[in-house]
Amino acid sequence: METGRPTWRSRAWPVAWAVLFLLVSGLMTIGNQDPATQLLPLVVVGLAVLIAVWAVLRTRRERRAYDDRLAAWAGERAAQAERLRIAGDLHDLVSHGLGLITVRAAVAVRLDDPGQQAAALADIEEVSRETTTELRRMLTVLRTPDAAAALRPAESLADLPGIVAAARSAGLDASLQVAGEVGGASPGTQLTVCAVVRETLSNTARHAGPTRVRVGVRRDGGSVVVTVGDDGPAAGWEPRPGAGHGLAGLRERVTALGGTLAAGPAGAGFGVTAALPDGGTSS
């Protein structure tokens, strides 16, 4: 369970000031008529020095203890954020791979030509191998976090044709249109655009089957807009509901960049539109 940020307030100095106040008050009350009492100022000064040293040492100990609590709290927050990131990556990976396998298998069942059936099964085998390889790679990174794992570079708009081609090979009638002026979008925006397209195509494959779907990426003022819309479920297709975390995860990623994501019925089908604020990269 997540705890709140630790707070710190030294209790040493209030105690020290209170003791010093009592000492000074006592000294002023006693007076200095008696020769013996003339040593009291020296005693008070000595006690004041000791109290100040004690307060400084006590404050340092309290500060070190606070720093330790703060470091533990920050480490816990970082670990939670990393677990959420890994969970999102695993969801995207499994959802996309299984979505393609499901659609391709459903299409293969409806084929009468043995050659086409064999090609469909070969596609299923290839996607299964790729998904298994990626899962093993991610699990290897989790088991050896300090190892220099071979990580893939961040996706960019140049990867969109491959993402759409993979959906097309799974049975979707997918098309892509990218306006040329979005090429200078920031790396974070390009990565999020790829995530939106991949997740939405995966959802379309599960819910609508081998239907027509259009992907568009364009710039609208200071924002990059990505739209994905389909024509609705294919004839005789039975939707395969997922866990329901895909769109929620996309909305979190988009809003983290200050953007907006809208998803809902569009005509006979379903549409997703994400607007990502982006000023482009300077050359």
Side-chain angles (χ1 to χ4, degrees), residues 114-231:
Q116 293 180 342
Q117 289 182 341
L121 292 176
D123 289 341
I124 293 173
E125 181 182 8
E126 181 180 359
V127 173
S128 300
R129 291 181 183 274
E130 292 177 353
T131 302
T132 302
T133 300
E134 287 298 303
L135 282 174
R136 288 174 177 170
R137 183 185 67 84
M138 295 189 70
L139 292 176
T140 299
V141 173
L142 289 177
R143 293 191 187 102
T144 56
D146 296 330
L151 301 179
R152 296 177 305 176
E155 290 182 317
S156 66
L157 297 181
D159 295 295
L160 284 178
I163 296 173
V164 174
R168 193 179 298 119
S169 66
L172 290 175
D173 181 9
S175 61
L176 171 66
Q177 182 177 4
V178 179
E181 61 269 18
V182 301
S186 67
T189 297
Q190 297 191 44
L191 180 63
T192 304
V193 167
C194 292
V196 170
V197 172
R198 175 180 283 104
E199 178 63 27
T200 306
L201 289 177
S202 179
N203 287 342
T204 300
R206 276 199 310 271
H207 295 283
T211 187
R212 184 184 179 192
V213 58
R214 295 165 297 279
V215 179
V217 182
R218 58 184 173 84
R219 182 174 289 279
D220 185 4
S223 298
V224 173
V225 179
V226 53
T227 58
V228 183
D230 61 67
D231 290 347

Side-chain angles (χ1 to χ4, degrees), residues 42-148:
L42 296 178
V43 175
V44 171
V45 171
L47 290 175
V49 171
L50 291 177
I51 292 172
V53 171
W54 171 84
V56 169
L57 295 177
R58 177 65 180 268
T59 301
R60 288 181 177 177
R61 286 197 299 269
E62 291 177 349
R63 181 68 189 188
R64 285 196 296 268
Y66 166 74
D67 290 340
D68 292 339
R69 294 196 305 272
L70 184 62
W73 174 81
E76 181 182 355
R77 288 287 299 270
Q80 290 177 350
E82 184 66 9
R83 285 194 293 267
L84 290 176
R85 185 193 67 79
I86 292 173
D89 289 345
L90 287 174
H91 169 270
D92 293 344
L93 174 62
V94 175
S95 176
H96 179 67
L98 293 183
L100 296 181
I101 292 172
T102 300
V103 174
R104 204 68 180 112
V107 172
V109 170
R110 293 171 170 81
L111 295 175
D112 296 328
D113 185 359
Q116 293 180 342
Q117 289 182 341
L121 292 176
D123 289 341
I124 293 173
E125 181 182 8
E126 181 180 359
V127 173
S128 300
R129 291 181 183 274
E130 292 177 353
T131 302
T132 302
T133 300
E134 287 298 303
L135 282 174
R136 288 174 177 170
R137 183 185 67 84
M138 295 189 70
L139 292 176
T140 299
V141 173
L142 289 177
R143 293 191 187 102
T144 56
D146 296 330

